[in-house]
Amino acid sequence: MHAQAGRALACVSAGGAPGVRAGLAPVASPGKRAGAGRRGAGGSRVPPPGGAAGGGLPGRLRPPGPAVSARLPRPPSPTATRQRQLKTLLPGFIQFIEMLIWKVPADCPHVPKMPCFPERTPRRNQKFLNKQTTLLAIICISKASPAGMTHVFVYGTLKRGQPNHKVLLGGTHGRAAFQGRGRTAEPYPLVIAGEHNVPRLLNVPGQGHRVVGEIYAVDEQMLRFLDEFEGCPDMYQRTPLPIAVLEWEGTRGAPRETPAADRTVQCFVYSTATFPPEWLHLPYHDNYDSQGQHGLRYNPRENR
């Protein structure tokens, strides 16, 4: 019996092609035979403890590890998606604000002084101020005029109580909302000229008087109608001018409630730069009235 065990041990130590049982990976060096159980009497192989099914494994053998699945990329979170969209849209939005910022007066009361936080670094303070300035600019523009409306300054027959004021009423030609009274920030010559005694504002700044008129918020349809009504651009030219506010009745866009502050708003004004030179020698007016003491009665269009 001892002789047979010695011969078996010699065979194992001599080495041969190592036999590897299915499902077992050898950990020892390849020179040693893996999975060889001890032999009993007569040379028969004794299965390892736990049976041939591999319930109990030899100490130097272990099953292969579980398969590691490939790690899939995580889908972006909704917050990250929104942040990327905002970064894409923000430059165009800032450019849009810069195009509209001229509508906001430099001393607009809707824009308070920005706070500064000493505990923050200058860079963080600047980021905070940029965000607050953008938001307040949006608020101020929204208060400057109703959505889709434009300020127009009228000084002649379109004023309340004058012959052509009816074209601004009823909504037939578009929307026009009275905002308040104002006057031109600079003097201009306002004359009554032509065969029909039409009031005309000559585009010669620095001469004449600061002309008094009314401010209206009009929509795009009314603005197109006024262009046609005033013969723009042949007879009159529509140009933006600063208008100082005297009284304000509009619910939105009042630069300042007190007339003494002399705040200004940007308005379109129908004036003319193409006129006979002798018109500059006519009497200048500061507040037109078709029934005024000048005695030049306006001839309505329906009577021509």
Side-chain angles (χ1 to χ4, degrees), residues 213-232:
E214 297 173 352
I215 302 171
Y216 288 84
V218 302
D219 60 6
E220 185 65 25
Q221 180 184 355
M222 177 61 75
L223 192 62
R224 290 195 301 266
F225 169 78
L226 290 177
D227 286 346
E228 182 180 356
F229 184 83
E230 299 288 0
C232 180

Side-chain angles (χ1 to χ4, degrees), residues 252-281:
R252 305 178 68 179
R256 178 63 66 89
E257 299 298 333
T258 55
D262 208 28
R263 300 302 174 94
T264 61
V265 292
Q266 201 81 358
C267 299
F268 282 123
V269 181
Y270 291 93
S271 61
T272 179
T274 56
F275 53 87
E278 58 268 21
W279 285 6
L280 285 173
H281 304 291

Side-chain angles (χ1 to χ4, degrees), residues 202-214:
L202 308 183
N203 195 356
V204 183
Q207 297 189 28
H209 308 287
R210 297 180 64 185
V211 178
V212 177
E214 297 173 352

Side-chain angles (χ1 to χ4, degrees), residues 45-80:
R45 176 175 297 179
V46 178
L57 301 177
R60 303 181 69 87
L61 299 176
R62 60 180 175 83
V68 180
S69 60
R71 187 182 295 271
L72 298 177
R74 297 177 59 185
S77 63
T79 303

Side-chain angles (χ1 to χ4, degrees), residues 101-295:
I101 202 67
W102 65 273
K103 292 186 177 180
V104 183
D107 49 0
C108 180
H110 301 300
V111 182
K113 292 184 179 180
M114 298 298 177
C116 186
F117 300 95
E119 67 274 10
R120 297 183 177 182
T121 62
R123 183 175 181 182
R124 289 186 64 190
N125 259 323
Q126 188 60 44
K127 289 183 177 180
F128 174 80
L129 295 181
N130 290 342
K131 294 178 181 178
Q132 296 300 313
T133 302
T134 302
L135 293 176
L136 290 172
I138 298 171
I139 295 172
C140 193
I141 290 172
S142 66
K143 292 187 176 183
S145 61
M149 307 290 278
T150 304
H151 283 147
V152 175
F153 177 76
V154 299
Y155 54 85
T157 62
L158 290 175
K159 295 192 302 181
R160 292 184 296 183
Q162 300 304 313
N164 290 326
H165 178 68
K166 58 182 177 293
V167 302
L168 300 178
L169 306 177
T172 304
H173 308 293
R175 181 184 173 193
F178 177 77
Q179 300 291 287
R181 297 176 62 251
R183 61 182 176 183
T184 57
E186 294 184 78
Y188 284 89
L190 174 61
V191 300
I192 302 175
E195 60 176 328
H196 301 295
N197 297 327
V198 178
R200 303 175 187 272
L201 187 70
L202 308 183
N203 195 356
V204 183
Q207 297 189 28
H209 308 287
R210 297 180 64 185
V211 178
V212 177
E214 297 173 352
I215 302 171
Y216 288 84
V218 302
D219 60 6
E220 185 65 25
Q221 180 184 355
M222 177 61 75
L223 192 62
R224 290 195 301 266
F225 169 78
L226 290 177
D227 286 346
E228 182 180 356
F229 184 83
E230 299 288 0
C232 180
D234 299 328
M235 183 178 297
Y236 289 93
Q237 295 81 46
R238 174 163 54 89
T239 57
L241 292 179
I243 302 298
V245 175
L246 298 178
E247 299 175 4
W248 197 265
E249 297 182 10
T251 57
R252 305 178 68 179
R256 178 63 66 89
E257 299 298 333
T258 55
D262 208 28
R263 300 302 174 94
T264 61
V265 292
Q266 201 81 358
C267 299
F268 282 123
V269 181
Y270 291 93
S271 61
T272 179
T274 56
F275 53 87
E278 58 268 21
W279 285 6
L280 285 173
H281 304 291
L282 295 174
Y284 297 156
H285 305 271
D286 61 348
N287 192 0
Y288 174 78
D289 184 2
S290 63
Q291 303 293 327
Q293 296 181 357
H294 49 73

Side-chain angles (χ1 to χ4, degrees), residues 19-103:
V20 180
R21 296 174 59 185
L24 300 179
V27 180
S29 60
K32 297 183 178 181
R33 185 183 301 273
R38 58 186 181 86
R39 295 180 180 272
S44 62
R45 176 175 297 179
V46 178
L57 301 177
R60 303 181 69 87
L61 299 176
R62 60 180 175 83
V68 180
S69 60
R71 187 182 295 271
L72 298 177
R74 297 177 59 185
S77 63
T79 303
T81 303
R82 285 194 296 268
Q83 289 177 351
R84 284 197 298 270
Q85 292 174 349
L86 287 176
K87 289 181 179 179
T88 304
L89 298 176
L90 188 59
F93 177 73
I94 295 298
Q95 185 179 6
F96 172 74
I97 293 298
E98 290 174 351
M99 288 190 299
L100 295 180
I101 202 67
W102 65 273
K103 292 186 177 180

